[in-house]
Amino acid sequence: MLRNGAAGGGPAAGGRAAARPVRVWCDGCYDMVHYGHSNQLRQARAMGDYLIVGVHTDEEIAKHKGPPVFTQEERYKMVQAIKWVDEIAPGAPYVTTLETLDKYNCDFCVHGDDITLTIDGKDTYEEVKAAGRYRECKRTQGVSTTDLVGRMLLMTKAHHSNIGPKGHSPWTGVSQFLQTSQKIIQFASGKEPQPGDTIIYVAGAFDLFHIGHVDFLEKVHQLAEKPYIIAGLHFDQEVNRYKGKNYPIMNIHERTLSVLACRYVSEVVIGAPYAVTADLLDHFRVTLVCHGMTEVVPDKDGSDPYEEPKRRGIFQLVDSGSNLTTDLIVQRIIKNRLEFEARNQKKEAKELAVLEAMRRLEEEKH
């Protein structure tokens, strides 16, 4: 059980004398938004009082990196749903300039400790670095959009049929992410439900946490004046049982952080039981249980996992208005398999070139 909540204040919340709010800028593609993106934005928000996130257009991404998986409208909405984001700037330029920072009254920009290059090999943050208006945060190891696309490209092979190295889930064996209690604490706020809150329970895989999930959670959030949404996440083995194929793509630890980063979620239950039991409902004092319009697969014994909330009259189907599912995202990748493979190879080649250049610089120093 992990309690969650909306973004807290930055340094000003720590008792600093009232002053002009420190405005922070981040930008990027934010394609296939994952907990690595969320962690960057969490760190950036902690450096100031107000976080503006610039999101590049489809055209800009295609020019510099290759085709995006999600449309710009989908990406705008995904970034806005991250609880540390105060405002988004649609159509942000790929190269970050002082003009952009001044346009949004931002003091400085924040980026991870990896190098981002334009199509012609130039550092996209060169100008703001030279002006001293650049800050760096630690990049989250073990995940990237390239990595996730790679996992989905493997969906056409049996990458879950062979158990990987020791300690790796047989369902998400390609994941290199290592969960820590500190990381969970950083993502969760620990807020308990307050008197008058409507405690709403939702459950699922929440695999590749995407705009379909966000649309659903937003609709659920709108059902009450003071909603307190608890998301139950099923273990990898359970997800594989009812989803089949090579699911889940992200393991339980990755999915936990992805859901915790969403502004509509108050608490996460890691490894929630598939059947919504009387014990669970009583323990969390649940007043409403919601499910989307996707198919509900019976439990192992053939029973309805929502039998108990239905018996209590607290079950509600919620139409998110979105038809996007994890299956459809995988289909997008597979459909454009060659383009995405080329995109990944291009990025890997660029990263190797940067590492080689850095190695040569180190040799020259010595």
Side-chain angles (χ1 to χ4, degrees), residues 192-340:
E192 296 190 19
Q194 301 301 307
D197 284 357
T198 300
I199 300 174
I200 307 173
Y201 182 76
V202 298
F206 293 100
D207 195 15
L208 281 181
F209 193 74
H210 54 71
I211 194 66
H213 297 130
V214 168
D215 285 337
F216 167 69
L217 290 168
E218 185 180 19
K219 282 284 170 61
V220 171
H221 196 266
Q222 292 167 354
L223 292 176
E225 190 177 337
K226 293 177 63 183
Y228 186 91
I229 298 176
I230 301 173
L233 268 63
H234 303 138
F235 278 131
D236 297 344
Q237 297 94 320
E238 193 67 72
V239 176
N240 189 252
R241 179 189 70 80
Y242 65 80
K243 285 281 289 179
K245 298 180 184 175
N246 299 322
Y247 293 107
I249 292 162
M250 298 178 88
N251 67 38
I252 183 69
H253 305 303
E254 296 177 302
R255 293 184 281 119
T256 294
L257 293 186
S258 297
V259 176
L260 276 174
C262 180
R263 66 174 66 250
Y264 303 118
V265 176
S266 303
E267 187 171 62
V268 167
V269 181
I270 303 172
Y274 187 66
V276 183
T277 62
D279 285 346
L280 184 148
L281 296 174
D282 294 340
H283 179 80
F284 292 111
R285 304 191 305 279
V286 175
T287 50
L288 184 63
V289 175
C290 294
H291 184 77
M293 305 308 286
T294 54
E295 178 192 5
V296 176
V297 178
D299 205 348
K300 294 186 188 76
D301 61 1
S303 63
D304 180 355
Y306 291 103
E307 184 179 340
E308 180 61 23
K310 285 177 181 177
R311 188 188 69 77
R312 297 188 184 196
I314 60 169
F315 179 78
Q316 184 172 334
L317 284 174
V318 174
D319 187 352
S320 68
S322 171
N323 66 350
L324 189 65
T325 62
T326 305
D327 277 326
L328 289 176
I329 295 169
V330 172
Q331 286 173 30
R332 287 187 189 186
I333 299 292
I334 301 302
K335 183 181 175 185
N336 299 298
R337 181 187 183 89
L338 294 177
E339 282 186 315
F340 284 115

Side-chain angles (χ1 to χ4, degrees), residues 163-189:
I163 295 178
K166 273 190 177 180
H168 282 198
S169 162
W171 291 275
T172 57
V174 291
S175 172
Q176 303 300 312
F177 177 69
L178 298 174
Q179 183 69 286
T180 63
S181 57
Q182 183 59 32
K183 186 60 64 192
I184 291 173
I185 290 166
Q186 288 171 343
F187 271 60
S189 71

Side-chain angles (χ1 to χ4, degrees), residues 38 53 59 66 80 121 134 150 268 282 314 320:
S38 300
V53 182
E59 186 181 1
Q80 189 65 73
Y134 177 85
V268 167
D282 294 340
I314 60 169
S320 68

Side-chain angles (χ1 to χ4, degrees), residues 10-32:
R16 189 184 68 193
R20 184 184 72 77
V22 175
R23 291 167 66 89
V24 182
W25 173 269
C26 280
D27 56 28
C29 304
Y30 299 102
D31 195 21
M32 296 277 308

